[in-house]
Amino acid sequence: MRKLFLLYLMVVTAWLSGNAQTMRGDTLAVLQIAQEEGLSQLGATSLQFDKNGYLWIGTQNGLNRFNAYQMKVWLAEEEINNFPNDLIRAMYYENDTLWMTTHTNALCAYLLAESRFIHFSDQLDFENTPSLKQSLALHAASGNQLIIGTAGHCLLFNRHTLTYEALPIPQLLEHDFVTCIASLDERHYLIGTNASGLYLLDLRSKSLYATDYLKTLQRRQINVLYKQPSGDILIGTDHGLYTWARDTKELQQESEQVIRGIYPWDDTCLLMSGSSANFLVTEDWKWQRLTFVDHRGKELEAVVLAYEQDTQGGKWLGTETRGLFYYHPYQTKFKPQRIQARNAPKKDFISVFNFLRSANTLWMATEFGFVKHPLKSVDYKLYRTDYVGYTLAEDAQGTLWAGGYDQGLLRYNTQTDKFDRIPLPMVDRDIIQITPLSSDTIWVHTLASGIYALNIHNLKANRVGLWDKPILGSRTSYVDCKGNIWIGSENGLYQIKRNKKVIHYDSLSNERVFAIAEDRQHFWVGTAKGLNKLHPETGKITHYTKQTGLPNDFIYGVQVDDKNNIWVSTNYGISVLDQHTETFKNYTEDDGLQNNEFNGKAAYQDSLGYLYFGGMNGFNIFHPDSIPINTHTGKTHIENVLLFGRPIAENILYTDTLVFSHDQNVITFDYVNLNYLWSKKNRYQFTLEGFDKGWRPVTSDRSTTYTNLSPGTYTFKVRGSNNELLWGDIDEITVIIRSPWYATTVFRIGLVLFVLILIAGGFSYKTYQQRQTNHRLLRMVQERTEELSKTNRALHQSLELTQQQKESISFLMQELNHRVKNNLQLITSLIDIQSFEISDQRIQDKLHTLQSRIFTVSKIHDLLNIRDSEQGAYINSFIDNLAQDLIVFSGQEIAFHSEMEQVILPSNRLTYIGLIINEMITNSVKHAFQDQQVNKTIYIHLDISGDKMILRYQDNGVGFNKDKIWDAGHQGMNLIHLLIVELKGTIDLVINAGTMFIIKLPLK
């Protein structure tokens, strides 16, 4: 048992040892793009670039478009988008169409030029086959077809006819779905599944089947299929990586690593993502574990789900939980170096103040003393003084001198490998600069006591007097090509010529001088507030500050490279000035600098042209010719146009002309350069032709607004640079602002013509009017006379005609009345005749009632015939006559009494009242009086009360049953009720020794 355990231990140790060799690690510095840039969700499942250069990111919660600065997001919850589902599984871009598979709606597409989504879910029977909703894999096949992998099926989608065909997975297992698709040739495709292994798809026969030579992977989870240039297929599974030879059909396992993704990294290796790790794998199967870090060295654990490479050489990685990673080989131009000395009080943020290279050894003055670093090794030796080392120099004999704060002057002893202190005749122990001048002398600069000349042989020192006063704070010096000495101090710049003449330059951008350098024609001076270019012949000084492109005004170091470019270190990185273009290129910690803050005096150039810059956390060494240059400029686009601050509805990326009205004259242009490599360093220039006189100054802003634009045609042009200030192509859009109708050329010409015609017409009309006035005066008497004659004749004829018409109307009215009266009498006679032939007493009574009503109408007609119907008639006379005639007509002896005021009513109301009186008298005759009754009496009273007329009708008959008076059988009483309602009146009934009706009617 013990032997077996030892054997097992040896095998495990050997395996770990072998894997440790195979799995050597590498670190990749990436830029993370996540919520700060507006990414809708950190699970980036798929990536695609469109023809304009935009990066599209499909996530588990929305579609994103990245413009190197920020995301534009589409979500399904926004109804205006018509985006069917937020969970995007895969994407494919072609012909300005972005195809996407989603979690619940199979396939959809976004038409970029039309800015709208379309989907085809209505063609699939989701109700009976819900698994078709869950689309995962997407692959572009031959014949304009898309292969879509879903749960349990492969969908073939024809992009011309926009139709589906569904092929079920054979030998389907529970929870099985298509995970990946790879092309074998134009006809055959390899289909990987989640549970049942691999299948072959034949597009011509539209069949999906398993094969014996892939039987080894049956019932395996297939995560990824990758076709190599040779045609062989790499198969990533949860049980390892396999190679399937396309020609021999042989399957060979290459690794037991879990492989979820395979992507082409470069010409020599592939990027493979596992369940919790990522690898770079070479052609000979050497595995290198890949660790992602940000640019500050923080590790970013992530599993890669998607990969794309842009046209600029950048690599984009979609991760499962970290958003996007962006890597570019030129992303870090410099490599920061940290001082790693065993006896250093701290490991990070050790400040460097000065450099000196001697052969292959680099000496540095640091905050803890002096450091020796062999350039061909990683070793650092700290000569710790616990004081700030500030300056280093080598004399003509090769002796190393050093100085710093509160430690005096030091000399390096090569035999003892120590720094020896050199006594000086001054109290000031702050040595801030050492200037070798000759084979015998060096100048030692103190902070507060001035400069001393030291004989390096006998170590005697004498004060250097300039204008009989010391130069204080002279932290930098420079001996030019002519042997002149330049000294930078707290009080400006001094030049000591070989003839001992001293010139003081007091017109620098700032008096505090930190660095001096010389190019082929000028001297460069770095101060606490800007860079200065000094013309030695004229004394003219040119200032450079943040306003001219520097990232920071505090200039610590200045160096001139072999191409005459000016390098400066600042409180915010390093900048280089191209003297041909007068532009600065700025580098920061993001580019690999030790820190954004550098230190005074920590700038140096060795004899080979290498530059050294030191700061708060180490130093950088580089040669200017070795800095990688990004030559890809990226496309510049006008992304959006806003009117009064609000985006217009146009799809600006696909629009070249916009037309606005005259009052739509506040326009904002948003633009972007799609250079993804440090896009925050992109710069822009723009102009509005027709408004601007030329190109506006270079800016980092991505938006500009023009206000109060006059009507006219304008062309907005913009160009963008990349991070290297290399300018790309120009994008432009034409804007037409229409003039108001009253300011158009046609209107103005018409207005001028109208005014001219009006003036000419005025003169013509005035002349014509004068002539007409004269003619009118001549004809006036004749016209007036003739007019009066005609008027008299017309009046006479009119009177005659009126008289004739009156006589005709009178005759016609008499004839009409006569005929109406005859007809009424004829009707009455006919009723009499008819009553003789009818024996039924009930019908005879009804005929008699009808006769009385016709009689009433006839009486009203007689009355109206003698009265003007428009004036009306006296109602008292009318009622008196009508009542008496009706009593006579009844054939009974009935006494009639009336008391009525004189009231004139129009004819239309008299008719209603007459019919009411007729019905009441008829009812009294028929129902109130008994045959044996004597002293039958009817009484009618009429008076006026306010705006009402009160009519009281009373008889002394037997009376009515008050509860049944309005029953359907009493037609006469119902007629009375209807007539009173029509007159807008009311009726009351009083039963007491007969019947009394009280009727109230409005006067009008």
Side-chain angles (χ1 to χ4, degrees), residues 60-71:
Q60 297 180 33
N61 185 33
L63 177 65
N64 302 255
R65 189 189 72 186
F66 189 50
N67 67 357
Y69 296 89
Q70 60 191 17
M71 301 285 175

Side-chain angles (χ1 to χ4, degrees), residues 504-519:
H504 180 220
Y505 296 92
D506 56 1
S507 58
L508 300 173
S509 58
N510 187 268
E511 290 184 347
R512 298 183 66 198
V513 177
F514 283 83
I516 306 168
E518 178 184 13
D519 69 11

Side-chain angles (χ1 to χ4, degrees), residues 809-929:
I809 292 171
S810 177
F811 173 77
L812 291 173
M813 289 300 297
Q814 290 176 3
E815 181 67 20
L816 178 62
N817 291 330
H818 178 71
R819 290 183 181 275
V820 170
K821 186 172 183 179
N822 288 342
N823 288 334
L824 290 173
Q825 290 176 351
L826 178 61
I827 292 171
T828 303
S829 300
L830 290 173
I831 293 173
D832 281 338
I833 295 170
Q834 188 68 34
S835 64
F836 294 149
E837 298 176 355
I838 298 173
S839 59
D840 190 337
Q841 185 61 41
R842 185 175 56 85
I843 296 175
Q844 285 186 355
D845 291 342
K846 290 184 177 180
L847 289 175
H848 187 70
T849 301
L850 177 61
Q851 246 182 340
S852 69
R853 290 171 181 168
I854 295 172
F855 176 75
T856 300
V857 172
S858 176
K859 293 296 291 183
I860 295 171
H861 176 264
D862 290 342
L863 178 64
L864 295 178
N865 192 32
I866 61 176
R867 295 282 183 180
D868 187 351
S869 63
E870 291 184 0
Q871 293 179 354
Y874 286 102
I875 189 173
N876 54 331
S877 301
F878 169 72
I879 292 175
D880 269 342
N881 294 332
L882 178 62
Q884 292 175 7
D885 289 343
L886 288 171
I887 291 171
V888 172
F889 180 77
S890 68
Q892 296 187 24
E893 292 184 5
I894 302 173
F896 173 69
H897 301 283
S898 66
E899 184 180 354
M900 293 180 283
E901 294 187 17
Q902 290 187 350
V903 180
I904 297 176
L905 291 180
S907 59
N908 59 340
R909 301 191 73 189
L910 284 176
T911 303
Y912 287 98
I913 293 174
L915 291 172
I916 292 171
I917 296 298
N918 174 75
E919 293 301 321
M920 287 184 174
I921 292 174
T922 301
N923 282 328
S924 295
V925 170
K926 291 173 60 177
H927 304 293
F929 301 125

